[in-house]
Amino acid sequence: LRRSGLTAPEALLAATATGARLCGVGDRLGRIAVGYTFDAILLDEAPADLRLFEQPGAVSGVFLGGRPVLAHPRLPASMTGSAAPPTHPVPNAADRAAAGRVLPSGPAIG
């Protein structure tokens, strides 16, 4: 999306809220809001330069279905100790490489 001319914020919005809406699931995915499923990745840097996603270790936390599956170091222990195993597998480096640079559920904006 960036290579097609979108700005970083436009690309992130297209990959989250707009993408969910176009796929018919915008009523429950693609945003951080009450009633929405919380799938998100956490970064320690602003993704203004989306090449950040290509750097190993750039993702410092992952939430699937509202539960931390890769707990960010700054999360309170009460959020990390009681998390159930993820209902779908967390991709490893080989899975991410095989999938290319597609992020099915990135940071929600808007």
Side-chain angles (χ1 to χ4, degrees):
L1 296 171
R2 289 283 290 140
R3 289 184 202 126
S4 296
L6 294 180
T7 66
E10 290 169 337
L12 290 171
L13 188 59
T16 56
T18 303
R21 183 176 48 81
L22 291 172
C23 290
V25 294
D27 61 330
R28 62 186 183 279
L29 298 173
R31 298 182 58 156
I32 297 176
V34 174
Y36 283 68
T37 300
F38 184 61
D39 290 345
I41 60 170
L42 305 177
L43 308 169
D44 286 328
E45 297 180 40
D49 181 352
L50 296 182
R51 288 179 294 185
L52 170 71
F53 290 104
E54 298 172 8
Q55 297 175 13
V59 174
S60 54
V62 177
F63 279 80
L64 292 175
R67 296 182 177 271
V69 294
L70 173 59
H72 190 280
R74 292 189 303 246
L75 279 178
S78 62
M79 289 187 72
T80 61
S82 62
T87 56
H88 30 272
V90 177
N92 60 27
D95 295 331
R96 289 190 300 270
R101 293 188 180 105
V102 176
L103 298 175
S105 180
I109 298 174

